[in-house]
Amino acid sequence: MKIALVGIGKIAVDQHVPAIANSPDWELAATVSRAGTVDGIEAFTDIATMLEARPDITTVSLAIPPVPRFAYAQAAIRAGRHVMLEKPPGATLAEIHALQALAQAQGVTLYTTWHSRMAHAVAPAKAWLAGKTITRAHIIWREDVRKWHPGQDWVFEPGGMGVFDPGINALSILTEILPAPVHLQAAELEFPANRQTPIAARLQFTGNITADFDWRQTGPQTWDIEIDTPDGKVALRMGGNLLEIDGQPAQGENTIMDEYPALYARMADLICQSRSEVDLAPMVHVADAMTLGRRTETEAFDF
Ligand code: NAP
């Protein structure tokens, strides 16, 4: 199937382009970007022109930041194309509800991807937790924004989500593997004096579940989820890629595909089955943290 990739930025170059190039399902047939291109691929600077010029391209993958994404997704779905959304799927929940209704009306597939759910330890951790009672869980997601988002000011603009841009990856794993849903009860958010989104957040959920997100960690980076049950403990380390049971490394089952190849394989399956997959659970927790969170001002941040 022919696919167009929109937004030739950091994640497109790092992950989407190689995942599509190595996929048996997809052919990268065009790009849309104001500045970026991919060698040998037809490049457009405007989505309306691409949709008009290339009716043979049936799927559009959007790898631009969340705020501008809705207009692109709406244009593609209105033009009868299947659409795949980077995480977080949009700037607001209502946008995604609107896209979901539009995709249904147009009879096309909409896929809200959560790449961290495809990490190697996620499926085996979910299987291990099935039917168990959670007595405590703690997420530590601490990384260096200067290293992972150099100069990307959009993450600190309204709708950019700040530290929830990586934190939502942890929440996408949590909401996938817990045997029963939880909801947010309280949050503390630290906003740099010169920015619109938080640089750190501490969250408290029902079920004795807590999270600590921080974008100021230099040196070793931490992406851990630890979960206790009366039957033992499971931990997912390195962003969901390493599994530990009762403190010992355990072998995951989902060791075949990496995250982005798995997302593109899933998109191909969804289209073949004429289905959409829209899960907003991780984003609901972020929206609730922004609603309930106690805000403090912290030191100004510049890249
Ligand atoms: P990025 O490099 O800052 O931007 C990606 C592309 O978006 C750029 O090519 C830029 O294209 C385009 N863009 C930026 N602002 C735009 C606007 N207002 N209108 C239209 N296009 C615009 O961002 P990124 O890091 O790739 O992140 C993109 C998405 O992927 C985000 O939702 C992020 O959460 C997700 N993601 C990122 C990472 C990561 O490690 N960076 C990992 C996983 C997922 P132009 O060439 O047209 O300027």
Side-chain angles (χ1 to χ4, degrees):
M1 291 178 280
K2 290 184 182 169
I3 192 164
L5 183 58
V6 180
I8 306 302
K10 184 169 189 312
I11 197 61
V13 171
D14 288 356
Q15 298 289 346
H16 290 258
V17 171
I20 295 169
N22 293 318
S23 165
D25 301 310
W26 297 104
E27 175 195 336
L28 182 58
T31 60
V32 179
S33 175
R34 296 170 306 185
T37 57
V38 173
D39 277 354
I41 307 298
E42 186 176 10
F44 293 85
T45 53
D46 165 81
I47 187 153
T49 309
M50 186 279 290
L51 293 168
E52 178 81 25
R54 295 296 304 268
D56 56 317
I57 297 177
T58 53
T59 302
V60 176
S61 177
L62 297 176
I64 57 178
V67 169
R69 203 177 299 137
F70 176 79
Y72 285 76
Q74 187 184 46
I77 297 171
R78 279 186 175 154
R81 303 328 206 273
H82 308 294
V83 167
M84 193 171 159
L85 302 171
E86 249 298 355
K87 53 62 52 173
T92 68
L93 293 163
E95 283 181 0
I96 311 307
H97 290 307
L99 292 179
Q100 190 174 17
L102 186 61
Q104 194 170 4
Q106 290 286 86
V108 299
T109 292
L110 178 67
Y111 179 24
T112 59
T113 68
W114 297 105
H115 66 86
S116 291
R117 286 185 174 174
M118 300 301 193
H120 296 306
V122 173
K126 180 177 180 165
W128 189 86
L129 284 167
K132 293 193 169 74
T133 302
I134 310 301
T135 51
R136 170 196 163 269
H138 186 54
I139 300 172
I140 307 175
W141 225 251
R142 288 174 159 257
E143 61 173 54
D144 182 354
V145 64
R146 289 190 173 94
K147 177 174 171 141
W148 302 106
H149 295 274
Q152 290 182 351
D153 280 308
W154 64 262
V155 295
F156 286 114
E157 289 299 311
M161 284 199 181
V163 76
F164 289 108
D165 179 81
I168 203 167
N169 297 334
L171 298 176
S172 75
I173 296 176
L174 186 79
T175 49
E176 174 69 11
I177 65 178
L178 285 185
V182 295
H183 62 264
L184 189 105
Q185 292 177 303
E188 289 172 11
L189 310 173
E190 290 183 49
F191 284 72
N194 59 339
R195 299 290 186 168
Q196 296 291 321
T197 61
I199 197 161
R202 287 169 294 281
L203 312 179
Q204 171 78 55
F205 295 89
T206 51
N208 197 20
I209 296 173
T210 49
D212 172 1
F213 299 158
D214 204 308
W215 240 352
R216 298 165 297 193
Q217 177 149 313
T218 53
Q221 310 281 285
T222 313
W223 300 284
D224 287 350
I225 302 176
E226 297 172 346
I227 302 177
D228 299 353
T229 79
D231 310 303
K233 299 177 181 205
V234 66
L236 299 90
R237 309 209 183 276
M238 296 306 294
N241 280 294
L242 295 181
L243 183 68
E244 230 178 67
I245 294 175
D246 293 330
Q248 298 302 314
Q251 184 64 35
E253 283 156 23
N254 177 25
T255 50
I256 300 160
M257 258 193 215
D258 288 332
E259 294 175 18
Y260 280 80
L263 293 179
Y264 278 94
R266 178 82 186 132
M267 182 65 178
D269 279 351
L270 289 170
I271 292 172
C272 290
Q273 296 168 35
S274 301
R275 286 182 48 213
S276 285
E277 188 173 294
V278 176
D279 182 1
L280 295 177
M283 205 164 150
V284 166
H285 293 319
V286 174
D288 284 358
M290 295 294 199
T291 305
L292 269 182
R294 181 172 295 279
R295 292 162 189 243
T296 55
E297 190 175 292
T298 187
E299 185 179 324
F301 177 88
D302 291 296
F303 282 105

